Amino acid sequence: MEKEVGNGCSSLAYKLLFSCPFGLSQPQLSAVFDESYDRIPHSDSNLENSISQIWDQRVQKNGSLFNGKKFRYGGYSQKSGDGSKKESYVCLHLGLTDYRTFVGTNLNPSWEKFLVASEDDPTQCQHTSSPLGNGAIVETSDQKIVLLQRSDNVGEFPGHFVFPGGHPEPQEVGIETHEYCKGSKDSELVNKKVSQEMFESIIREVVEEIGVPATSLSDPLFIGISRRVLNVRPAIFFFIKCSLESKEIHQLYSKAQDGYESTQLYTVSMIEVEHMTLKMPGCHQGGFALYKLMVEALKKN
């Protein structure tokens, strides 16, 4: 299922790569981590050389930049247990990439030159780093949605509104290279750990960014995959309920571990979020679209 949406500004356009309005629990979302889903170098040597050139320029300006490993999004596969939408199972196809390659491909001023003319998303983006991001639509006990305003110091979309999120981290499951999982038994165990990291990472991000205790959060439900058209940046989105009221969350936010990434927390209604999407990165606009599809599906059910 792919749907592309824009509002006249390409930086705010998004594409829904997959939607699951009924939400998938952890046993229903698996992952295959394999080097076949790694980035394929581009045949244009000048384009490839620009990756290290751009990274070196960024490091000179900001010596604190760290080239961490990230999971690379390489597509997904889907199967239905009994043929119904409610019993679907999704498998994420993940490779390995790093922040340096992301800066040099997806954030390259010539990022569109890395794309392949194809309707198939993984093929179109086979030369980009495409690290998998994540985001959560967190609903408070008084039926508000949590949004953050990004700091002016962050690298991407400073000052914009976003849902809490970040990235699932390879290091959290001990992955530095593909050598970690060469045997069939090893690879089965790694895939299981990677699948768990998809869910554990979003809880971790929510706790660190807004300051609520993990015990106040429900088990995340996977609701789909969004990709912004600008820089072809993919992200998986989850729905999480928080047992705390807006007032309590605002109090906890002041002590959030990753509070420096944002300047303000908002707890707003669905209608208010709609107005704020005009100042959201495309992938987060897509995350809100996935949430709306979930709400509509629950009304019909």
Side-chain angles (χ1 to χ4, degrees), residues 60-227:
Q60 282 177 2
K61 290 179 182 177
N62 182 1
S64 64
L65 279 182
F66 172 68
N67 183 27
K69 299 290 184 183
K70 300 293 175 190
F71 288 112
R72 181 181 184 275
Y73 175 72
Y76 71 91
S77 54
Q78 183 186 12
K79 59 180 180 178
S80 295
D82 61 2
S84 75
K85 288 183 180 177
K86 291 185 184 179
E87 286 298 323
S88 63
Y89 298 84
V90 173
C91 178
L92 298 173
H93 301 164
L94 303 175
L96 194 62
T97 188
D98 56 34
Y99 188 64
R100 171 186 172 274
T101 314
F102 167 59
V103 168
T105 58
N106 294 81
L107 298 188
N108 192 313
S110 302
W111 64 273
E112 288 174 292
K113 292 181 180 178
F114 283 96
L115 302 183
V116 174
S118 173
E119 291 298 313
D120 178 60
D121 188 74
T123 302
Q124 184 188 20
C125 302
Q126 65 185 16
H127 300 308
T128 60
S129 170
S130 299
L132 183 67
N134 62 16
I137 287 77
V138 179
E139 201 176 80
T140 67
S141 64
D142 51 340
Q143 280 74 58
K144 301 292 185 182
I145 297 167
V146 176
L147 276 178
L148 296 167
Q149 186 163 24
R150 284 171 69 77
S151 160
D152 289 332
N153 300 319
V154 295
E156 287 184 89
F157 291 93
H160 282 61
F161 299 117
V162 292
F163 298 106
H167 300 85
E169 300 289 355
Q171 287 93 334
E172 288 291 329
V173 290
I175 292 173
E176 287 291 337
T177 67
H178 284 289
E179 293 299 319
Y180 179 71
C181 48
K182 285 295 185 185
S184 58
K185 284 186 179 179
D186 288 341
S187 105
E188 193 176 320
L189 178 62
V190 167
N191 288 340
K192 188 176 179 181
K193 285 182 176 180
V194 171
S195 304
Q196 290 172 343
E197 171 62 7
M198 297 301 115
F199 286 83
E200 290 173 3
S201 62
I202 194 58
I203 292 290
R204 199 167 59 238
E205 294 286 0
V206 170
V207 168
E208 290 174 1
E209 291 197 349
I210 68 176
V212 298
T215 51
S216 70
L217 301 173
S218 68
D219 290 337
L221 282 177
F222 168 74
I223 56 173
I225 309 166
S226 166
R227 195 200 73 189

Side-chain angles (χ1 to χ4, degrees), residues 192-291:
K192 188 176 179 181
K193 285 182 176 180
V194 171
S195 304
Q196 290 172 343
E197 171 62 7
M198 297 301 115
F199 286 83
E200 290 173 3
S201 62
I202 194 58
I203 292 290
R204 199 167 59 238
E205 294 286 0
V206 170
V207 168
E208 290 174 1
E209 291 197 349
I210 68 176
V212 298
T215 51
S216 70
L217 301 173
S218 68
D219 290 337
L221 282 177
F222 168 74
I223 56 173
I225 309 166
S226 166
R227 195 200 73 189
R228 74 171 182 246
V229 172
L230 177 73
N231 310 127
V232 289
R233 183 84 151 91
I236 52 174
F237 277 87
F238 296 85
F239 172 67
I240 299 174
K241 284 189 176 182
C242 181
S243 62
L244 304 176
E245 291 189 353
S246 300
K247 185 180 178 182
E248 296 172 280
I249 294 171
H250 279 280
Q251 290 170 345
L252 291 165
Y253 171 67
S254 62
K255 297 175 183 176
Q257 185 179 329
D258 281 356
Y260 62 89
E261 291 186 3
S262 61
T263 55
Q264 196 165 346
L265 178 142
Y266 299 84
T267 48
V268 293
S269 68
M270 197 166 169
I271 294 170
E272 288 173 301
V273 178
E274 194 79 61
H275 295 305
M276 296 166 88
T277 56
L278 291 172
K279 202 178 178 185
M280 267 188 195
C283 44
H284 283 257
Q285 281 192 55
F288 183 55
L290 292 169
Y291 172 69

